[in-house]
Amino acid sequence: MGKALDGVRILDFTHVQSGPTCTQLLAWFGADVIKVERAGAGDITREQLRDIPDVDSLYFTMLNHNKRSVTIDTKNPEGKLVLEALIQKCDVLVENFAPGALDRMGFTWERIQELNPKMIVASVKGFGPGPYEDCKVYENVAQCAGGAASTTGFDDGPPVVSGAQIGDSGTGLHLALGIVTALYQRTMTGRGQKVLAAMQDGVLNLCRVKLRDQQRLERTGVMKEYPQYPNGTFGEAVPRAGNASGGGQPGWILKCKGWEADPNAYIYFITQAPVWAKICNVIGKEEWATDPDYATPAARLPRLKEIFAEVERWTMSKTKFEAMEILNKYDIPCGPILSMKEIAEDPSLRKTGTIVEVDHPTRGKYLTVGNPIKLSDSPTEVTRSPLLGEHTDEVMAELGYSLEQISALRVAGAI
Ligand code: CAO
């Protein structure tokens, strides 16, 4: 079966996490992704957080599946010529260097356009134009500058960053959408264009509901679904909301049986309005279904702490999986707090290809997260990440270089 992006060639000039997650997705959709790395060293993540000496780290292997790797010294004059040949052959150049690095290498937008007017140049940067545009940025900086950290955590504690890599992988996802959109527009205009996904913007996009709440707060001074209501105080900015649900369906994380020993024996429980009567039955508080102090969503808002304490008395008598089974029978929205160990062992995630076991020539078998986006006509087969420079000769030959030329360029240190 063909793949959605068959025939699309990507010059993958990305490193670390944000850019590689983008090009990995494109590779899973069928694009030929050629990762250009520095000879001898490669993407810095190859050696970061290593668990096996001298073997590509899981950090690298899990972000660079289905790609080819070529090593080119793009600061070497002859290496620059190889990169030019690649630019002429590819449809998209994706990069996430520090601001200005591509220009300093001599590959400005104008120069790339001269070489290939159809080229789409896609970049991740920390910030868009403005006071911070020259700053280098990593995941947690983006979470802080994009509004996530100030709105995550508990009111009596400091800002907290999330384990979800919304700055890096989240921005990679935004960039991938920008790239396929630009490819689509190119089919009509015949022109390439620049695509920019700034990490601050990507995080803020994911924190959209918090900017909504900022304006609600400014207008009304209070947000009734936040745990600060009714006894706490609201300041000028959206406060940290603990584990409260974002929308009008109040929820909280509650202890389950075994919580004393298991840090993940918890369940997320939502007091969804349409199933309120069923919730009351399940937890043995049938009278709350008709009591005017509890019967309506508005009446419940000032009593959420008390309500969740009562629900927790029930959840603590069940394991999170027993609670799930009972609550799901009644269509009560809830979710177990799954540990990474439980997720890694989950048979249904293996079956759908969301968790995949991959074999690697130097590391052996390891688990990875497969393509979370499933296309019915473009199935994903996850293949291992490339060794450093594994495909240099193959790609050079495709660019038209002879064996002698390849050897000479190697001797010159260009590849
Ligand atoms: N041959 C020769 N030189 C190469 C090369 C190659 N194949 N590939 C890269 N280089 C050079 C670049 O030209 C650049 O050199 P100059 O600084 O002289 O211009 C240098 O290597 C790469 O630099 P960098 O500044 O991007 O790398 P860094 O490790 O110092 O910074 C990072 C890393 C991520 C902070 C920075 O790249 C950045 O801010 N990127 C944009 C935001 C981003 O994607 N952040 C997410 C990172 S994941 O958490």
Side-chain angles (χ1 to χ4, degrees):
M1 192 185 277
K3 298 277 167 65
L5 295 182
D6 272 345
V8 174
R9 250 190 307 254
I10 310 279
L11 196 174
D12 180 10
F13 226 167
T14 68
H15 65 155
V16 204
Q17 186 183 161
S18 63
T21 58
C22 165
T23 50
Q24 178 169 260
L25 278 172
L26 301 174
W28 281 337
F29 291 136
D32 177 14
V33 175
I34 302 166
K35 183 164 173 116
V36 175
E37 296 179 80
R38 216 189 307 226
D43 187 326
I44 195 168
T45 59
R46 284 188 186 266
E47 60 174 43
Q48 282 180 337
L49 309 177
R50 268 190 178 146
D51 56 328
I52 307 175
D54 303 325
V55 167
D56 285 340
S57 70
L58 286 165
Y59 194 8
F60 177 84
T61 53
M62 291 178 69
L63 296 169
N64 290 285
H65 294 107
N66 297 60
K67 303 181 185 179
R68 299 198 280 170
S69 165
V70 302
T71 46
I72 306 174
D73 180 353
T74 56
K75 289 189 173 162
N76 173 308
E78 290 181 74
K80 278 189 206 294
L81 294 177
V82 178
L83 195 71
E84 287 186 3
L86 262 178
I87 289 173
Q88 281 163 328
K89 270 263 182 193
C90 289
D91 300 282
V92 188
L93 184 158
V94 191
E95 63 91 22
N96 67 312
F97 291 128
L102 204 57
D103 292 356
R104 284 194 291 279
M105 232 182 253
F107 293 97
T108 58
W109 163 247
E110 292 73 22
R111 177 69 189 131
I112 294 169
Q113 284 287 288
E114 262 169 38
L115 293 164
N116 180 358
K118 291 180 80 177
M119 173 64 89
I120 290 158
V121 178
S123 304
V124 169
K125 294 289 165 259
F127 293 91
Y132 301 131
E133 64 187 309
D134 291 327
C135 296
K136 290 188 174 182
V137 168
Y138 285 104
E139 170 68 49
N140 289 343
V141 175
Q143 288 202 28
C144 293
S150 74
T151 53
T152 303
F154 289 87
D155 206 19
D156 56 358
V160 173
V161 295
S162 162
Q165 304 287 283
I166 56 177
D168 280 337
S169 293
T171 307
L173 202 50
H174 283 89
L175 192 71
L177 178 61
I179 290 169
V180 291
T181 307
L183 279 168
Y184 182 72
Q185 191 173 12
R186 195 182 73 171
T187 60
M188 285 167 293
T189 63
R191 286 194 311 276
Q193 62 181 299
K194 287 186 272 186
V195 180
L196 170 66
M199 294 168 76
Q200 181 185 39
D201 300 9
V203 170
L204 177 57
N205 183 36
L206 300 175
C207 289
R208 177 173 295 266
V209 297
K210 297 298 179 180
L211 185 57
R212 172 201 66 194
D213 289 350
Q214 180 62 35
Q215 295 170 83
R216 291 171 60 219
L217 181 65
E218 282 167 17
R219 194 175 301 276
T220 63
V222 70
M223 291 180 293
K224 292 182 178 173
E225 79 283 16
Y226 273 61
Q228 288 77 2
Y229 176 79
N231 301 318
T233 51
F234 286 89
E236 286 187 343
V238 174
R240 296 185 263 288
N243 290 316
S245 298
Q249 309 295 349
W252 202 253
I253 289 182
L254 306 177
K255 290 171 184 156
C256 290
K257 196 182 201 169
W259 67 273
E260 299 91 335
D262 176 357
N264 295 305
Y266 287 82
I267 194 165
Y268 199 93
F269 190 102
I270 297 177
T271 57
Q272 194 205 17
V275 289
W276 176 243
K278 292 179 189 171
I279 294 171
C280 297
N281 277 338
V282 168
I283 65 168
K285 294 290 282 184
E286 290 82 357
E287 65 278 16
W288 276 1
T290 47
D291 183 334
D293 279 349
Y294 298 89
T296 64
R300 288 195 289 277
L301 284 175
R303 298 177 175 80
L304 285 177
K305 268 198 185 107
E306 177 204 344
I307 290 169
F308 283 124
E310 196 60 43
V311 178
E312 192 170 60
R313 258 190 281 284
W314 179 82
T315 56
M316 280 167 71
S317 70
K318 310 275 178 285
T319 69
K320 61 189 173 189
F321 297 114
E322 288 166 352
M324 274 295 285
E325 212 176 311
I326 297 166
L327 296 170
N328 272 308
K329 266 194 225 139
Y330 297 102
D331 264 348
I332 298 167
C334 56
I337 307 306
L338 293 182
S339 69
M340 274 299 149
K341 185 172 189 306
E342 288 164 331
I343 287 174
E345 291 163 359
D346 185 318
S348 58
L349 291 175
R350 298 282 184 111
K351 214 167 158 193
T352 57
T354 297
I355 299 274
V356 192
E357 191 174 76
V358 182
D359 206 358
H360 186 277
T362 55
R363 122 174 325 277
K365 290 194 165 56
Y366 67 95
L367 285 187
T368 194
V369 183
N371 191 347
I373 305 166
K374 321 287 193 227
L375 268 61
S376 63
D377 259 359
S378 181
T380 297
E381 296 145 49
V382 179
T383 61
R384 69 170 174 85
S385 58
L387 300 174
L388 180 60
E390 185 177 346
H391 304 95
T392 305
D393 288 33
E394 178 182 299
V395 171
M396 293 294 286
E398 286 169 16
L399 291 173
Y401 288 89
S402 67
L403 285 178
E404 293 72 35
Q405 287 172 313
I406 296 173
S407 300
L409 284 169
R410 189 159 276 135
V411 170
I415 58 169

